[in-house]
């Protein structure tokens, strides 16, 4: 056996083979791929996976990965047999709610450049003659979907990788552990001996946590059993006996089931039972468990009704296969923070295997990827996300919801109340309707503010249907109360990072695209870029001392941003980076009357000259030693105020009491979003991420090319030289009462221009606001386009931004 390699890939399923193939294409050599099973039908999920590739997904990344997988596999053959059969797919709706959801899915497909149509029951019957069209109200058809031969595709990719040279595969070899010296991997120990290497890539999927746990690298994933059966031959399909598959692959999502043809037989896959989680530590070499008949009763009945040809037929193959489920349904891609050289590509199905292999190869080769991978990043998890009880609960729920209709604002029910602000009891008293944000309980609105609806009557449009779910008109009232008086916002969930040391200034100035070398007390808004000039993060950096800085960013993006800073920090001890989120409570005091409220509780001068916009300083609030930043994501006069966590309750109470004469109200996250959209403030993860550069995103004003070298500068110089082809635009809808929620396609006739990145009603400007990237030819104010929303279209007009307080008078005075 080979005892040395540059890179060892653990796992020769389709993901490991895809990674090896793509790395070889990028010039990697001296790669050894190991698997505990025989090559290439190793016994993992790839070996038994039905291979259905449905590309449509609400996540653009997952859709991109699936689209690429189809592109890759359709060109592959193994043993003179195709690895992918592009027979198309049909998803059927048996309820009116599902019909509506099919139109939503068709909108996603259009937005992401995937051909898809809503079809009638008659058309469904034409494509799948054995179906009972009486069960079907409508169908959703994607012509380029199809079925893959999983382990054939793995073998084909492996052989192409070997043909490139410098790639070897070894089966029947179990990796027992990883060898580490001084925080870096140096090899793997197998049941056949040691292999010395520089880098290890874990493509172990359902077994992933076993090796990860040994390194202190928690990988929040479980294997979950899933039923699959293949029928005896059906007379109705006798003409297809020698064919692999001719019918489109089929989903019956209302019953959590899917189906595919096997020549003259049919395969039935069912999620229609409670989750059967399997610990990676109890798994043997096979990803198959015995069939559990009692779990199939409901699915059996639904199958007989949808496909009457199967009624009374025997199932000659029956088993419970295992698939990987992560806590949020996304892959886990990236390099460990604790052990250099250890990479992960797990939590991946055949559907996304080609795209995942491409992405991890790019990440390992360049440090950047073509697609934004924030949803799949190994660095997205907070500490509570990787605890055993949390992982079990969330993976089980992911299984239950795999075919559910999920509203974009739908909240998980369990576990909750993990992270509470110190004044949480006050938010409860205001009858907060709480949503979960990175474990924090954050109110979307406060029912106690229902009284404001009378005051703002006529200024808050009603919503119905899908748009009215998880929404309240109270959000609009809180928005207007902030604009006209003053609001108190819960900001404790913000991620707070201290960067200090003699090298801190030089380090942060290299990481940031804006100029960080500012006087103590100056706040700087900046983007952090990757090597390609894509926006890795946007945040504020405040200089709190000569060698000390406070980095503030969102709750969801906090782990990403912290990992990015640590990944690039000098190793000479000149910089210390510490997550201090749990050390400080935070509130936002925003609105035109914010200054008069704050002046009532502090002896310090908070006038405009003494405390100007975008500055920060210590502030005594009664007996609380606070630290305040004069800035506002709401686009109003105000401050973010930070205090020791144990003083947070007192801070809230002081400001609350002082604010009552000024009409202060508690304001939730719903108004937070609509306020920021009126001001044109970008949201990381939707409006901006690594697929966009600052000039496209309208953030060129925060770039300082002349300050010297910084990460991404060379890429931005090229952008400046070549110009941009698209631009983030502010649009408003023409039709009164029209609502969008995000990800809807933006069109000019039948030409796809882009999709909605953010949308909300601007209660102060009286218009539905839409943001999305458009080709520069369409980015001219006054240009009209259309936005597809379920079954209809809305006219939208490009406007100058921001729509509210364009001259920044309210913020700066």
């Amino acid at each position: 056996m080979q005892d040395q390699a540059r890179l060892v890939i653990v796992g020769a399923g389709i993901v490991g083979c895809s990674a090896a193939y793509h790395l070889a294409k990028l010039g990697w050599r001296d790669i050894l791929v190991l698997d505990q099973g025989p090559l290439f039908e190793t016994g993992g999920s790839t070996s038994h996976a039905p291979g259905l590739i449905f590309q449509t997904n609400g996540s653009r990344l997952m859709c991109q990965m699936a689209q690429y997988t189809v592109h890759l596999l359709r060109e592959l053959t193994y043993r003179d047999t195709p690895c992918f059969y592009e027979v198309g797919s049909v998803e059927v709706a048996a309820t009116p709610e599902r019909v509506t959801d099919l139109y939503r899915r068709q909108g996603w497909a259009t937005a992401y450049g995937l051909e898809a149509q809503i079809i009638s029951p008659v058309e469904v019957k034409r494509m799948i003659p054995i179906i009972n069209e009486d069960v079907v109200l409508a169908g959703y058809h994607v012509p380029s979907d199809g079925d893959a031969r999983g382990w054939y595709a793995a073998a084909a990719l492996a052989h192409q990788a070997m043909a490139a040279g410098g790639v070897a595969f070894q089966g029947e070899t179990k990796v027992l552990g990883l060898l580490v010296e001084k925080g870096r991997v140096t090899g793997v120990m197998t049941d056949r001996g040691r292999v010395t290497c520089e880098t290890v890539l874990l493509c172990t999927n359902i077994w992933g946590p076993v090796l990860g746990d040994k390194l202190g690298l928690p990988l929040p994933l479980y294997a979950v059993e899933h039923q699959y059966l293949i029928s005896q031959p059906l007379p109705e399909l006798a003409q297809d006996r020698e064919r692999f598959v001719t019918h489109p692959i089929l989903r019956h999502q209302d019953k959590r089931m899917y189906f595919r043809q096997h020549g003259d037989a049919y395969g039935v896959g069912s999620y229609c039972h409670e989750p059967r989680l399997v610990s990676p530590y109890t798994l043997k070499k096979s990803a198959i468990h015995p069939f559990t008949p009692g779990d199939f009763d409901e699915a059996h009945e639904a199958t007989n009704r949808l496909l009457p040809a199967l009624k009374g037929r025997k199932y000659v193959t029956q088993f419970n296969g295992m698939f990987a489920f992560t806590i949020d349904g996304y892959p886990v891609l990236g390099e460990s923070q604790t052990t250099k050289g250890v990479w992960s590509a797990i939590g991946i199905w055949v559907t996304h295997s080609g795209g995942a292999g491409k992405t991890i190869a790019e990440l390992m080769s360049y440090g950047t990827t073509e697609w934004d991978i924030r949803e799949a990043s190994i660095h997205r998890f907070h500490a509570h996300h990787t605890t055993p009880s949390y992982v079990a609960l969330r993976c089980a729920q992911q299984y239950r919801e795999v075919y559910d209709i999920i509203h974009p604002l739908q909240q998980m029910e369990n576990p909750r109340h993990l992270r509470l602000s110190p004044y949480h009891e006050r938010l409860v008293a205001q009858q907060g309707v709480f949503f979960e944000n990175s474990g924090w309980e954050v109110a979307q609105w406060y029912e106690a503010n229902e009284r404001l609806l009378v005051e703002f009557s006529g200024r808050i449009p009603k919503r119905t249907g899908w748009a009215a779910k998880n929404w309240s008109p109270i959000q609009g009232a809180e928005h207007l109360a902030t604009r006209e008086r003053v609001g108190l916002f819960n900001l404790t969930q913000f991620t707070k990072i201290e960067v200090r040391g003699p090298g801190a200034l030089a380090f942060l100035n290299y990481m940031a695209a804006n100029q960080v070398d500012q006087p103590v007390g100056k706040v700087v808004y900046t983007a952090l870029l990757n090597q390609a000039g894509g926006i890795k993060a946007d945040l504020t950096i405040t200089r709190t001392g000569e060698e000390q800085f406070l980095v503030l960013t969102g709750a969801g993006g906090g782990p990403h941003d912290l990992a990015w800073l640590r990944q690039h920090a000098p190793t000479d001890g000149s910089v210390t980076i510490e997550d201090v989120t749990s050390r400080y409570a935070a509130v936002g005091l925003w609105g035109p009357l914010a200054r008069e409220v704050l002046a009532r509780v502090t002896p310090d001068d908070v006038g405009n000259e003494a405390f100007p916009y975008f500055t920060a300083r210590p502030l005594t609030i009664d007996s609380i030693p606070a630290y305040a930043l004069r800035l506002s994501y709401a686009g109003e006069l105000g401050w973010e105020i930070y205090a020791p966590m144990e003083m947070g309750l007192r801070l809230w109470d002081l400001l609350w009491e002082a604010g009552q004469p000024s009409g202060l109200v508690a304001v939730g996250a719903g108004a937070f979003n609509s306020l920021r959209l009126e001001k044109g403030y970008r949201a990381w993860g939707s409006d901006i991420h690594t697929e966009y550069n600052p000039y496209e995103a309208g953030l060129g004003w925060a770039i300082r090319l002349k300050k010297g070298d910084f990460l991404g500068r060379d890429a931005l110089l090229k952008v400046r030289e070549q110009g941009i082809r698209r631009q983030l635009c502010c649009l408003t809808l023409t039709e009164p009462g029209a609502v969008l929620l995000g990800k809807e396609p933006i069109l000019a006739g039948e030409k796809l221009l882009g999709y909605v990145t953010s949308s909300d009603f601007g209660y102060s400007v009286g218009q539905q606001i839409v943001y999305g990237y458009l080709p520069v030819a369409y980015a001219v104010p006054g240009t009209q386009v259309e936005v597809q929303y379920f079954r209809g279209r809305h006219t939208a007009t490009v406007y100058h931004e921001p729509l509210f307080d364009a001259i920044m008078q309210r913020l700066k005075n």
Side-chain angles (χ1 to χ4, degrees):
M1 174 182 157
Q2 184 177 330
D3 63 2
Q4 188 170 342
R6 176 189 178 190
L7 164 67
V8 170
I9 298 177
V10 186
I14 194 168
V15 176
C17 293
S18 175
Y21 165 82
H22 286 94
L23 285 163
K25 280 188 64 176
L26 294 179
W28 284 62
R29 297 296 181 265
D30 196 16
I31 300 172
L32 176 61
V33 185
L34 302 176
D35 200 284
Q36 63 183 351
L39 301 176
F40 285 92
E41 196 171 2
T42 62
S45 299
T46 301
S47 303
H48 70 74
L52 290 74
I53 297 183
F54 293 93
Q55 298 167 82
T56 307
N57 197 295
S59 161
R60 184 164 180 257
L61 171 65
M62 299 299 274
C63 190
Q64 287 169 318
M65 285 186 171
Q67 288 172 292
Y68 177 83
T69 301
V70 167
H71 169 77
L72 176 68
L73 298 189
R74 63 159 59 112
E75 304 299 324
L76 296 180
T77 60
Y78 182 65
R79 297 176 178 172
D80 297 322
T81 301
C83 292
F84 180 72
Y85 294 79
E86 198 165 330
V87 292
S89 70
V90 173
E91 302 180 27
V92 296
T95 62
E97 294 78 13
R98 185 68 64 176
V99 173
T100 300
D101 193 57
L102 293 186
Y103 279 95
R104 180 174 67 135
R105 295 176 66 77
Q106 196 271 334
W108 291 339
T110 302
Y112 304 152
L114 178 65
E115 181 187 351
Q117 303 88 27
I118 304 298
I119 60 176
S120 69
V122 172
E123 291 172 292
V124 173
K125 179 74 170 180
R126 179 180 59 80
M127 294 181 181
I128 306 174
I130 66 171
I131 205 164
N132 174 13
E133 70 270 33
D134 292 339
V135 176
V136 179
L137 298 180
Y140 170 74
H141 176 51
V142 178
S144 59
D145 282 349
D147 195 84
R149 287 181 181 260
W151 76 264
Y152 273 47
L157 289 167
H159 281 86
Q160 290 206 20
M162 289 186 283
V167 182
F169 286 77
Q170 175 73 49
E172 305 288 359
T173 305
K174 184 177 179 63
V175 175
L176 304 174
L178 276 61
L179 306 173
V180 178
E181 292 181 11
K182 297 179 180 179
R184 181 167 192 91
V185 69
T186 58
V188 301
M189 182 60 68
T190 79
D191 56 1
R192 294 189 174 193
R194 172 179 177 149
V195 180
T196 301
C197 64
E198 301 172 4
T199 309
V200 173
L201 172 60
L202 302 178
C203 296
T204 44
N205 227 27
I206 59 177
W207 291 274
V210 176
L211 290 176
D213 287 347
K214 292 181 179 181
L215 295 174
L217 172 62
L219 299 171
L221 171 152
Y222 256 97
V224 187
E225 293 185 26
H226 160 79
Q227 295 194 311
Y228 195 73
L229 309 88
I230 302 175
S231 75
Q232 67 182 116
L234 305 177
E236 295 87 345
L237 300 177
Q239 71 278 7
D240 293 333
R241 181 173 294 114
E242 303 303 320
R243 300 175 182 178
F244 183 68
V245 56
T246 58
H247 290 182
I249 56 177
L250 172 65
R251 267 180 176 164
H252 185 15
Q253 291 184 306
D254 289 304
K255 292 297 183 180
R256 296 192 288 166
M257 300 184 70
Y258 64 83
F259 308 86
R260 58 151 288 199
Q261 185 183 9
H262 290 264
D264 61 352
Y266 241 71
V268 180
S270 172
Y271 293 88
C272 192
H273 56 83
E274 270 298 287
R276 288 180 170 269
L277 272 63
V278 183
S279 166
Y281 286 96
T282 63
L283 282 169
K284 306 301 181 184
K285 284 189 176 183
S286 173
I288 291 177
H289 275 185
F291 187 71
T292 49
D295 289 331
F296 191 61
D297 292 344
E298 184 180 347
H300 196 189
E301 182 180 340
T303 298
N304 292 341
R305 178 157 168 72
L306 184 69
L307 301 173
L310 288 169
K311 190 171 184 179
R313 305 294 179 181
K314 294 181 180 179
Y315 291 98
V316 296
T317 299
Q318 304 179 48
F319 62 87
N320 285 9
M322 278 172 269
F323 293 87
F325 279 81
T326 60
I327 61 171
D328 54 10
Y330 294 108
V332 183
L333 303 174
E335 186 180 15
S336 167
Q337 285 192 68
T338 56
T339 309
K340 297 295 291 183
V342 174
W343 295 76
S344 166
I346 68 168
I348 301 155
W349 295 0
V350 171
T351 304
H352 309 103
S353 56
K358 171 183 180 292
T359 299
I360 196 65
E362 291 170 347
L363 200 58
M364 294 174 70
S365 301
Y366 310 128
T368 60
T369 54
E370 178 182 358
W371 309 316
D372 182 79
I373 63 164
R374 68 190 184 281
E375 293 163 315
S377 171
I378 195 173
H379 305 306
R380 68 187 184 270
F381 305 116
H382 290 265
H384 66 277
H385 285 148
T386 60
T387 57
S389 62
Y390 188 96
V391 174
L393 284 167
R394 294 313 304 159
C395 290
Q397 192 62 19
Q398 286 297 320
Y399 182 89
R400 293 186 188 98
E401 294 178 353
V402 71
Y403 281 171
D404 281 3
I405 299 172
I406 305 293
H407 190 276
L409 293 176
Q410 182 172 318
Q411 294 297 296
M412 70 177 187
E413 297 178 359
N414 191 26
R416 292 293 295 269
H417 298 94
L418 294 173
R419 308 175 80 179
L420 304 177
S421 64
Y423 43 79
H424 181 71
E425 61 185 83
R426 301 295 188 258
L427 310 185
V428 172
Q430 289 295 310
Q431 302 172 55
V433 177
F434 292 97
F435 283 24
E436 184 270 347
N437 182 358
S438 302
W440 293 97
E441 294 295 321
V442 178
Q444 192 76 347
W445 67 87
Y446 297 92
E447 290 288 339
N449 289 326
E450 185 178 14
R451 57 187 171 78
L452 299 174
L453 292 175
V454 175
E455 177 183 352
F456 298 115
S457 175
R459 298 173 65 182
I460 305 169
K462 294 180 179 180
R463 293 189 184 185
T464 59
W466 187 252
K469 292 185 177 181
N470 302 300
W471 174 86
S472 169
I474 295 171
Q475 295 172 219
E478 292 175 356
H479 173 123
L480 294 167
T482 301
R483 287 273 187 253
E484 298 187 7
R485 295 191 291 272
V486 59
L488 191 58
F489 294 73
N490 168 23
L491 305 182
T492 294
Q493 70 275 10
F494 279 12
T495 299
K496 312 153 193 104
I497 303 169
E498 282 189 0
V499 182
R500 56 186 183 273
L505 174 59
F507 165 62
L508 286 175
N509 222 17
Y510 174 73
M511 295 299 295
N514 207 340
Q515 176 60 265
V516 178
D517 190 0
Q518 301 285 355
V520 172
K522 180 65 177 176
V523 182
V524 175
Y525 168 81
T526 187
L528 307 186
L529 309 178
N530 63 19
Q531 295 90 324
I535 301 172
K536 190 72 177 178
D538 82 314
L539 40 75
T540 62
I541 301 176
T542 303
R543 192 168 192 173
T544 56
E546 288 301 319
E547 298 182 350
Q548 186 165 316
F549 298 82
L550 177 62
V551 178
L552 296 170
T553 187
H560 295 94
D561 300 351
L562 183 64
W564 186 248
L565 291 171
R566 286 175 171 166
Q567 179 182 335
H568 292 86
T571 57
D572 59 4
S574 63
V575 176
T576 299
I577 301 172
E578 184 179 4
D579 182 358
V580 296
T581 299
S582 297
R583 190 180 299 172
Y584 298 106
V587 298
L589 181 68
W590 297 328
L593 303 184
R595 180 176 284 120
E596 70 178 44
V597 174
L598 188 57
R600 293 182 185 128
V601 294
T602 179
D604 300 323
D605 188 350
V606 292
N608 200 42
E609 291 188 10
F611 206 150
Y613 182 60
F614 253 65
T615 63
R617 61 181 174 86
L619 194 68
T620 299
I621 297 179
D622 192 62
S623 55
I624 298 173
Y627 192 78
L629 287 70
R630 177 144 174 231
L631 70 163
S632 162
Y633 200 55
E636 290 289 342
L637 168 68
W639 288 262
E640 292 179 8
I641 304 173
Y642 296 82
M645 189 68 80
E646 67 273 16
M647 296 182 174
L649 175 59
R650 178 66 174 156
L651 174 67
W652 180 278
D653 285 347
L654 286 166
L655 292 171
W656 182 261
E657 183 178 354
Q660 293 315 296
S662 303
L664 177 140
V665 297
V667 182
F672 190 78
N673 186 64
S674 57
L675 287 162
R676 69 98 183 167
L677 268 179
E678 285 188 335
K679 282 295 295 179
Y681 293 155
R682 281 49 172 152
W684 181 83
S686 53
D687 303 315
I688 52 177
H689 50 67
T690 58
E691 291 184 31
Y692 306 118
N693 67 60
Y695 297 114
E696 294 171 325
L699 297 177
W701 59 270
I703 305 298
R704 297 295 182 269
L705 292 172
K706 295 181 180 180
K707 74 169 184 171
D709 190 29
F710 60 86
L711 187 59
R713 181 176 183 271
D714 291 344
L716 292 193
L717 289 172
K718 291 181 181 178
V719 172
R720 284 285 296 271
E721 179 182 345
Q722 298 170 358
I724 60 173
R725 292 179 292 177
R726 60 187 176 184
Q727 184 176 334
L728 183 61
C729 295
C730 173
L731 306 94
T732 62
L733 297 186
T734 303
E735 181 183 343
V739 177
L740 301 173
L741 296 179
K743 302 183 180 181
E744 296 89 355
I746 304 174
L747 305 156
E750 297 308 310
K751 180 181 179 181
L752 176 65
L753 304 178
Y755 62 91
V756 175
T757 59
S758 289
S759 184
D760 209 331
F761 193 80
Y763 299 98
S764 306
V765 299
Q767 292 175 300
Q768 181 72 28
I769 304 169
V770 180
Y771 271 80
Y773 286 85
L774 301 179
V776 291
Y778 291 86
V780 180
T783 301
Q784 288 199 331
V785 297
E786 291 182 306
V787 184
Q788 179 181 323
Y789 184 68
F790 289 93
R791 306 187 192 198
R793 290 191 178 190
H794 299 307
T795 301
T797 304
V798 178
Y799 272 84
H800 284 290
E801 61 167 340
L803 295 175
F804 183 82
D805 189 25
I807 62 174
M808 308 283 280
Q809 181 177 1
R810 296 168 73 101
L811 272 169
K812 294 184 176 181
N813 293 334

